Amino acid sequence: MEAEQLIQEPFRTPRLHSFSMITLTQVAKNYDTPAGDYPALCGVDLQIAAGEFVAIVGKSGSGKSTLLNLIAGIDRPSMGEVVVNGANIREFSENRLALWRGKNIGLVFQFFQLMSTLTAAENVMLPMDFARIISPRQRRTRALELLERVGCTRHADKLPSALSGGEQQRVAIARALANDPPVVLADEPTGNLDSSTGKAIFTLFGSLVRSGKTLVVVTHERDVAEKFTRVVELSDGAMIAAGTPDRQGATR
Amino acid sequence: MTASTRKAVGDAWQERARSGFVVAAIALGVAAFLALLASYAILTRELHSGYLATNPASAILHTDAVDDHMLAAVGADPEVGSAEAKRMVFGRIEVGPAQWRNLLLFVVSDYGSIRLNKIVPEQGAWPPATGEMLIERDAVQVAHARIGQTFVVRTADRQEHTLRISGRVHDVGQAQARMENSVYGYITPRTLAQLGQKPVLDLLYIQVATNKYDEAHIRHVAEKVKQRLEAEGYRIHGVDVPVPGKHPHADLMGTLLLAMFSFGVLLLALSGVLALNFTAALMAAQVRQIGIMKALGGTRGQVARIYLLQALLLGGVATVIGAPVGIWGTLLLCRYMGMFLNFDVTSFGIPGWVFVLAAMVGLGVPVIASAFPVWRRTSMSVRLALANTGTPQDHFGRSVVDRMLAGIGGGVRPVILSVRNSFRRRTRLVLTCTTLTCAGLLFMTALNLRTSMIRTFDRLFAAQKYELTVNFGEMYPVEKINRAILSVPGVIRSENWIVTQAVIARTGRRAPRVTDASDTFRVFALPADSKLFVPVLAKGRSLRSGEDDGILLNQTLAAQNPQIKVGDHLMLQMGSAEMKGRVVGVDREPMAPPPIAYVPISVLERVHPGMANFTGIAIKKTESASIESMRNAIDSNLEREGIRGVGISSKSEFRVAVDQHMLMIYIFLVLASCVVAGVGGLGLATTMGINVLERRREIGILRAIGATSRMIAAIVVLEAVVIAVLSWGAAVLLARPLSEALAGMMGRSMHGAFDFSVAPLGILVCLTAALLVAATASLLPAASALRLSVREALTYE
């Protein structure tokens, strides 16, 4: 019930914190390809404050997903620094990155990417098993709370194949919140959903921001722009605009 | 090279780790198939020709003494091709300080003109001079002998004599001396005289002139010779007719080779399963490419040919690798079997058809195994094929089994994930489990059979309460025997029996007709309430005290006369004595014993009152040293009483020989299970490799949500462990019925039965082995899962 209310609740401006949750300084990323060196990002400077709801937009191949991957520690920058929640993650080993990510970052993917052999509740509990912050006894209770928050309580013991796309994405959001990370990153989370379900998902994201999470979303959705505190536009690996939705293009 | 061929080679190379596993498994199968088929061809050929080269006798007549007149008379018979006199003498030989072994001496008059059961001189003197002995080449190791060395021997006169080893011979007709734990020696009658024995030859070897391999003809001729000699006043105690033209161990070799060949075929089938798994996964990943090729104008047949060519290439490489290994295995196996059966393999030439068959199998197995997945995937429409993401669609959760699995929870999600992952590709799971199950099955069956054999023999040997038996050869007063034996410290009890040769004569109103009267067997006449001979009954009951007409058959005699049932009346002809009796039961004895009947001693006591020619002795200590000292003490006491014992046999020594015979089967099954476990391990490694490949993206997600390398590796290893444990479980379930069936077959081959028992240790060892195989097989796949970066894994299609 609460989840339904959250989803239906009109968007309000979130409370922004003064400190920077995500700081990218002169970040560049090059890929070695058979055709030669390919610059996916070049010299990006970006600061995202705690509690911000930032959209990253741009054409295909503009570097959106690369930027998100760098923030998540999924990829490493070729140059520059990435500091998230006070940690410079560039020097982290793969294992340390995984543990750090489990505690600090919640990830939501376009194709949901739930473990097909685990039920919804088990999918939500899986990051808790990895991070071991929450005691084993409390994990199911917390998973059910999170599923309730995204409106999927009744699907707790269903396998992903029994859920619709929207339901799967909500479960994926619940999974992203499993260890109560300060940052949630979503890569085109509504790209595989119909528009009404997509709107519901963004409303859910809004509620997360209101609860103090920092959200960075790669998206093509233009009609939800008013929900963001800031929109960052990329083109050919460079940041060409950053500002509030109504002032998008101010820094262009 | 055409583009199609390039693609076939390129794809196989791209998946080189998995291709390598498949090639290794098929190569192993080809090697085993070739080695076993070639060995079968070589050994049957060589054993047959080697045995026939000795010119084996058709029949052996037991008499008192073969003289020149007898030889001339039999030799003149147009139905007899050759006749020759020989003798076998049992004794003991001291092979080390207080270490005695059984000695079987063959006595031949003229070594220059041996025509039947020839022996081949290998080294040293030929023929042996008086006071010298030639030794069978395998017995050299039993006696730790060298030519020129002198040994102390004892025969029936119990005196110690010395014999010098003057040469080494090869006697194809004898079983391996090491297995029998006996020494075979070859002497002349003069040497025999020096050993205190009458220098007479009491065995008449004959070979029929025609139809040498017709057993009925041989029996007919032998019977005629026997009757003729008896008519001339000679005593013929018995006639032995070996299976014509067949080495005594040919059946054993045939059984072993058949078992090995079945194993080779099994191995091939299992490597085919591995190839099927590999191709199925490869084809699943190739669907989009198949769509593209078809969109470009390729027909289904053309596309299918590319993948079948790939299978053919893998088979070709495997055959090229497997064939030399198979040839090497053939040499090894033939040498070993030759040594085991005591014959020389003169030519290791492998018949051409073996190579052709091995090549056909090596090339054919992967092609046949690939046919179904290739046919299935190439039948897809272009539209569907092009829409394929490249990784197999996951429909987990749609079947009842999936939902059942989802219902089984647990406290640790990574564990649940591993368990359920194991069941995602169920056909693949079944195929992988099949191989591993076979390995476990063979291993547990081997151990179950061993346990059953040991328990059966323990039980059967335990029923024989005597440790030593003394064969006197002739009758002695019981009073004297008892005085000699019971005065030896350590003797608990002794029983005097009468042992004689007998034939079943046709008699009695309910007695069955016995068609072949020439089959002789031994009769043990013993007290009906014997404390030393306690029969283990297969049928009926044992002899009862006060019963004069009871006859107890052992399993071999019962098997040789299947028409005789418990309750039937028989007449036994025992020399001059006759006994009308009734079959009361069938006794079980270890291994395949000679045919024996047990009758109450009262039957022969009438003929030999107060006399006996055989004694069973129970003693306190049964260690080797104690037995030897008891034997010596008994020997001395008998000598003091003027009794000449032909030989003292030990039950423990016989038990060692029995265990040696059984060891072969056990070792073969354990080795076979290890090889199959190797193939199973390769199969599991391939399956896990494919699973990891298909779940790259999933692994990326796991890492993205916080899974460390250790966790990812643990999930992969645990999945392999689940598959291994499932296979183990299936093997545990199937091992009992298979072991029981095999134990039954082996029991029947010994005319008896095994008391089946399960080896619990085998179950535990097998589980440990399964876990080890799982851990080893998942190492590479786990490492490959860890090599993937999160970004690569997430972007994998």
Side-chain angles (χ1 to χ4, degrees), chain A residues 227-244:
Chain A
K227 293 186 189 290
F228 306 116
T229 52
R230 198 144 51 112
V231 174
V232 173
E233 188 172 356
L234 295 176
S235 177
D236 296 330
M239 206 166 75
I240 57 167
T244 51

Side-chain angles (χ1 to χ4, degrees), chain B residues 313-621:
Chain B
L313 281 172
L314 294 180
V317 174
T319 307
V320 168
I321 295 169
V325 180
I327 294 168
W328 176 74
T330 304
L331 299 180
L332 217 64
L333 195 60
C334 286
R335 284 208 184 103
Y336 180 71
M337 291 293 279
M339 188 180 73
F340 170 60
L341 295 173
N342 194 30
F343 74 98
D344 285 328
V345 178
T346 51
S347 162
F348 287 95
I350 300 173
W353 61 266
V354 172
F355 287 113
V356 173
L357 211 58
M360 279 170 66
V361 160
L363 295 170
V365 163
V367 173
I368 293 166
S370 310
F372 176 69
V374 169
W375 173 82
R376 187 173 155 226
R377 294 296 178 179
T378 51
S379 67
M380 243 176 168
S381 73
V382 177
R383 186 187 61 78
L384 280 176
L386 287 176
N388 191 283
T389 56
T391 48
Q393 294 299 306
D394 202 321
H395 302 295
F396 190 88
R398 300 197 181 167
S399 76
V400 179
V401 179
D402 294 344
R403 286 195 288 275
M404 274 170 58
L405 282 167
I408 303 166
V412 188
R413 260 56 58 190
V415 175
I416 300 173
L417 192 66
S418 297
V419 173
R420 294 184 192 162
N421 275 347
S422 315
F423 288 89
R424 275 163 86 166
R425 305 268 169 235
R426 281 195 277 278
T427 310
R428 191 181 300 160
L429 173 71
V430 168
L431 292 173
T432 310
C433 282
T434 302
T435 321
L436 288 171
T437 300
C438 281
L441 200 53
L442 279 175
F443 184 78
M444 280 190 264
T445 301
L447 259 63
N448 285 347
L449 282 180
R450 182 169 177 267
T451 308
S452 303
M453 283 190 276
I454 289 172
R455 293 226 175 135
T456 304
F457 291 147
D458 280 350
R459 185 178 165 211
L460 297 179
F461 275 95
Q464 299 171 355
K465 305 292 181 193
Y466 53 84
E467 169 57 41
L468 298 172
T469 51
V470 188
N471 182 4
F472 301 111
E474 50 193 273
M475 294 292 174
Y476 287 99
V478 166
E479 196 183 322
K480 279 182 139 188
I481 297 172
N482 285 345
R483 206 161 44 224
I485 290 171
L486 293 173
S487 61
V488 174
V491 169
I492 299 169
R493 177 191 289 271
S494 78
E495 254 177 35
N496 300 306
W497 305 332
I498 297 172
V499 180
T500 186
Q501 292 284 321
V503 292
I504 298 171
R506 182 186 164 210
T507 186
R509 61 191 157 80
R510 285 177 54 208
R513 172 181 287 273
V514 178
T515 50
D516 189 352
S518 66
D519 281 326
T520 57
F521 55 89
R522 288 215 289 179
V523 165
F524 276 67
L526 33 76
D529 57 350
S530 171
K531 299 289 184 291
L532 296 187
F533 173 77
V534 182
V536 178
L537 294 165
K539 282 179 196 164
R541 60 170 174 82
S542 54
L543 301 173
R544 281 181 187 155
S545 99
E547 180 181 53
D548 276 351
D549 64 347
I551 301 171
L552 182 68
L553 311 179
N554 78 346
Q555 79 249 35
T556 309
L557 187 57
Q560 285 178 354
N561 297 278
Q563 77 281 12
I564 299 175
K565 304 279 181 260
V566 172
D568 280 349
H569 289 257
L570 294 179
M571 175 179 271
L572 300 184
Q573 185 74 48
M574 297 172 281
S576 56
E578 282 186 350
M579 176 197 175
K580 282 183 184 175
R582 198 163 58 89
V583 177
V584 295
V586 176
D587 173 43
R588 289 172 60 193
E589 288 166 17
M591 293 295 283
I596 297 173
Y598 299 92
V599 300
I601 197 160
S602 53
V603 174
L604 291 175
E605 266 179 343
R606 287 180 216 124
V607 188
H608 308 284
M611 307 289 271
N613 63 358
F614 204 94
T615 297
I617 305 166
I619 59 174
K620 273 182 191 162
K621 291 181 182 174

Side-chain angles (χ1 to χ4, degrees), chain A residues 29 31 69 73-75 94-95 98-99 101-102 105 107 109 111 113-119 122-123 125-127 129-132 136 139 157 159 161 175 179, chain B residues 394-398 402-403 406 408-414 416-417 420-421 424 697-699 701-711 715 789-791 794:
Chain A
K29 179 67 189 177
Y31 290 114
N69 285 347
I74 284 172
D75 214 343
E94 278 298 316
N95 266 343
L99 286 172
R101 203 163 37 233
I105 306 285
L107 279 165
F109 303 93
F111 293 102
Q113 308 294 6
L114 297 174
M115 296 295 128
S116 62
T117 52
L118 297 182
T119 61
E122 287 167 345
N123 262 289
M125 284 188 273
L126 188 60
D129 289 340
F130 292 147
R132 296 179 191 167
R139 286 175 196 167
D157 294 319
L159 289 167
S161 58
R175 181 178 69 181
N179 292 316
Chain B
D394 202 321
H395 302 295
F396 190 88
R398 300 197 181 167
D402 294 344
R403 286 195 288 275
I408 303 166
V412 188
R413 260 56 58 190
I416 300 173
L417 192 66
R420 294 184 192 162
N421 275 347
R424 275 163 86 166
R697 185 190 285 266
E698 201 171 284
I699 289 164
I701 303 291
L702 286 172
R703 301 198 83 157
I705 62 171
T708 60
S709 299
R710 213 169 65 177
M711 286 170 185
I715 287 170
S789 76
V790 186
R791 187 183 60 79
L794 288 174

Side-chain angles (χ1 to χ4, degrees), chain A residues 17-24 46-50 83-86:
Chain A
H17 297 275
S18 54
F19 71 92
S20 172
M21 179 60 80
I22 300 165
T23 306
L24 281 82
L46 177 66
Q47 280 201 340
I48 297 171
V83 178
V84 180
N85 199 17

Side-chain angles (χ1 to χ4, degrees), chain A residues 46 48 52-56 215-218 228-232:
Chain A
L46 177 66
I48 297 171
E52 266 200 276
F53 188 5
V54 177
I56 299 174
L215 250 97
V216 182
V217 180
V218 168
F228 306 116
T229 52
R230 198 144 51 112
V231 174
V232 173

